[in-house]
Amino acid sequence: MRPVKLLWIFLPLIVLAQDRSLFQADFSPSEFKERRDRVFEKIGNNAMALVQGAQGVDGFKVFRQTNEFYYLCGVETPHAYLLLDGRNRKTTLYLPHRDEPRERNEGKLLSAEDADLVKTLTGVDQVFGVELLARHLRGSIIRPPGPVLFTPFSPSEGVAQSRDEHLSGLAGIAADPWDGRPSREGHFIELMRQRFPTFEIRDLSPTLDELRMIKSPTEVALIRRASELAGLGLMEAMRSTRPGVYEYQLDAAARYVFLLNGARHEGYSSITAGGKNAWMGHYFHNASQLKAGDMLLMDYAPDFRYYTSDVTRMWPVNGKHTTDQRIMGEIILAYRAALLKRIKPGVTAQQVLDGARAEMEIVIKNTKFSKDHYRKAAEAMLPFRGHLSHPVGMTVHDVGTYWNGTFLKGHVFSVDPMLWVPEEHLYIRMEDVVAVTETGVELFTDFLPSTPDEIEKAMKGEGIVQLRPTQQIKR
C-alpha cells in the first residue's frame, strides 16, 4: 500500500488524538501504562484495583475528571471505571454508551463504542460498557478465595479541591444532623461490600499518593506553566492596583490572564486581601476597596490541564513601600534565598530549615527595626516548619509528604516564608513553587517581581482594570 493511502487511513485517528477537547495531549499512552504498572507492583498478583471516575455535572458546569482517575488513564468521560487486575496485569476501562443527543449538543465524548480508539489513546487492554463491570467482578470470585480489591478510600479531588479541604467539608456534612450523607467513596465501598462480600477491600489511596509524590518531566512542565501563568496573573494585578480599586477587580485581572492562556479552571479561589484582610490566611470574600498605605496580599494560581501552582506576593496599594514595609519584605526575601540555596536531593526538609534558620538569625540581628515587636515577629518565625509548606501538583495542597525522608528529584512543593505581627494584625509572606532537580532546585517563578524595587517598577503603567474600567449602563 502506498504511504499516502496509509496516511489517509490513519488520519482520523491522528486528528482525534490531537483534539484536546476529546482527549488530553500531554501524556503518552506509555506514561499512563507505566503508572498502572507501578500500581500492579504495589498491589501484587492476587489483587485488583478499582478506581471510580467523576460523576456527571449538574447544571451548566464544565466537567472535570477526578485527579486519581485522570492520573491513571487521562479519560474525561463521566461515570467511568478503571479496573486493574493484578492476576493477569490487564487494565480494563468501563465507559457509558454513546449518548447521541448529548453529543449533538455538546460535542464528541469517548464512550464504550470507541473501544479501539480508547485502547490506542490510553494503552488499556480492554474497553467495555459500564454495565458489564458487575458481571466481570462476579466472575473473578467464582473460585474462592476471592482476590483483594483495592479502591481509594480518600475523597477524590475535582475542581479547586485538595484532600484536606475536601475532608473538612465532609466532616461538616457528617456533623449536620439533617444531612449526614456518606462520601461518594464511602457509598461506593459500601456497595462493593454488599454486592461482593467475599472481597477483602483495602485502601488504594496510599499507593496513588506515593506515586504522585514524584513528578515526571511532563508533570513538572505542566506545573511550571501553571506557575508562569500564576506569575503573569499577579503581575497584571500589580499593574491594576490603585487606591479605590476593589479586591475583586484584581481577582478578575489575574483570572483573565489564566483564561487567555488556556487554563479552564482555578486551582483554588483567589486570596486577594487588602490591609488587615490579609491576616486571615484563606480570606476569599475579595469585596473590600483598597486603601493607600495598606499592603495587598494576592495568592492565586490556575488549574492548567489538571495541574496547578501556589504563588503569593504582597505589594503596596499606592505603589510605594514605606520603610517598614520594605524592611519586612526584605526579611522575607532573605529567608526565601536561604531556603532555596539549601534544597537539593539527599537533604531533609529539617536540614534545610535548620541551615536557613542559622543564617537568618544573623540577618535579623543585623537588621534595624523601627519597632521591637517587628524584631520579635521576625525571630518568632524561625522555628516554624511551614516555610517549606506543602506538595504541589494536581492540587494546590497535593497528596503525600516529603518530611519522612530526603528530597528526591521530582519533588515539587511550595516555599513560603511568612511572619505574623499580632500587635498590628499584620501577616507578611512570599510564596513560590519549586521542583527538586538532579543537582538543586528550579524556581518556577524566577521572573516574578520579588524585591521591593522590582515590585514598585512592575506597578508602573496601567493594568487591564484601568484600560477596561467598570462600566455602568445609562438608562
Side-chain angles (χ1 to χ4, degrees), residues 28 135 255 285:
S28 66
R135 181 189 300 177
R255 191 183 308 179
H285 299 286

Side-chain angles (χ1 to χ4, degrees), residues 323-341:
T323 299
D324 286 336
Q325 289 169 351
R326 180 174 288 268
I327 289 173
M328 300 300 273
E330 288 173 345
I331 287 289
I332 292 293
L333 190 62
Y335 202 174
R336 183 186 73 162
L339 293 167
L340 289 176
K341 70 183 181 182

